[in-house]
Amino acid sequence: MRNIKCLGIFLLLFFPLDFSLNAQSKSSVESFFWDDEKVISKADSYFPSAISNGKNTLVFFEEVDKSKKEIKISCVKKENGKNWGAPFTVSQKIAYSSEEIPDVYSVASTHKTTAVSVLDLDAPNGIVSVYSSSDGGNTFEKFTFPELPKQVT
């Protein structure tokens, strides 16, 4: 019984501390800036992926046409922490056959280049298409792999 009373006193003593910590953390959270919601695509969109260099942000996503079973990779850009631009298409349409919508792309970036690799059975190499940008994500060009005598897997 004594242990329960001690636990009760302990909790009562530290409960006000918990509330004061929450009040302090709330004021620090309010100092962050959060964007308002914005619809960037009317299509069904899946698998968002964002990259940022601290100045500009690129958000990639799959736009899916379920009736045609096609996916295209799109992107929207925010420059200098200001406004979001209009979304644009990065890849050509990619067919899929499963009932579930597959996650078919990956994004990587260095200081100079952003690359989007896409699983694409219609690609010349039968495996992957790569789209790259060297202008901060304003335009993307399809990379053409050199012909190889044997398929590399």
Side-chain angles (χ1 to χ4, degrees):
M1 186 69 156
R2 179 183 268 184
N3 288 340
I4 293 174
K5 285 182 182 179
C6 289
L7 178 62
I9 292 169
F10 177 80
L11 289 174
L12 287 174
L13 288 173
F14 287 100
F15 241 81
L17 177 63
D18 183 45
F19 288 124
S20 66
L21 287 175
N22 283 339
Q24 288 173 353
S25 63
K26 184 177 179 184
S27 64
S28 64
V29 168
E30 289 174 354
S31 67
F32 286 105
F33 172 77
W34 298 97
D35 282 346
D36 292 330
E37 290 181 15
K38 179 181 178 183
V39 176
I40 57 172
S41 173
K42 292 183 181 181
D44 285 340
S45 300
Y46 296 84
F47 307 112
S49 181
I51 58 170
S52 177
N53 63 7
K55 184 177 163 186
N56 298 325
T57 302
L58 296 169
V59 177
F60 296 87
F61 53 97
E62 291 183 12
E63 287 189 289
V64 179
D65 184 336
K66 291 179 182 178
S67 65
K68 294 180 181 178
K69 291 209 169 218
E70 293 178 333
I71 297 170
K72 62 181 180 179
I73 308 302
S74 295
C75 178
V76 64
K77 183 177 180 179
K78 184 175 191 178
E79 291 189 72
N80 299 318
K82 304 275 182 192
N83 297 320
W84 289 100
F88 58 92
T89 302
V90 173
S91 73
Q92 63 190 22
K93 292 179 181 176
I94 302 152
Y96 71 96
S97 58
S98 64
E99 290 301 313
E100 297 293 320
I101 296 163
D103 184 358
V104 297
Y105 78 102
S106 180
V107 179
S109 183
T110 66
H111 293 292
K112 295 181 180 180
T113 305
T114 300
V116 181
S117 61
V118 181
L119 293 175
D120 182 4
L121 299 178
D122 293 329
N125 63 11
I127 302 170
V128 67
S129 293
V130 176
Y131 300 86
S132 65
S133 172
S134 57
D135 61 3
N138 291 320
T139 59
F140 283 83
E141 295 180 15
K142 189 172 184 177
F143 176 79
T144 304
F145 288 96
E147 291 249 353
L148 299 173
K150 292 183 178 180
Q151 182 174 337
V152 178
T153 56

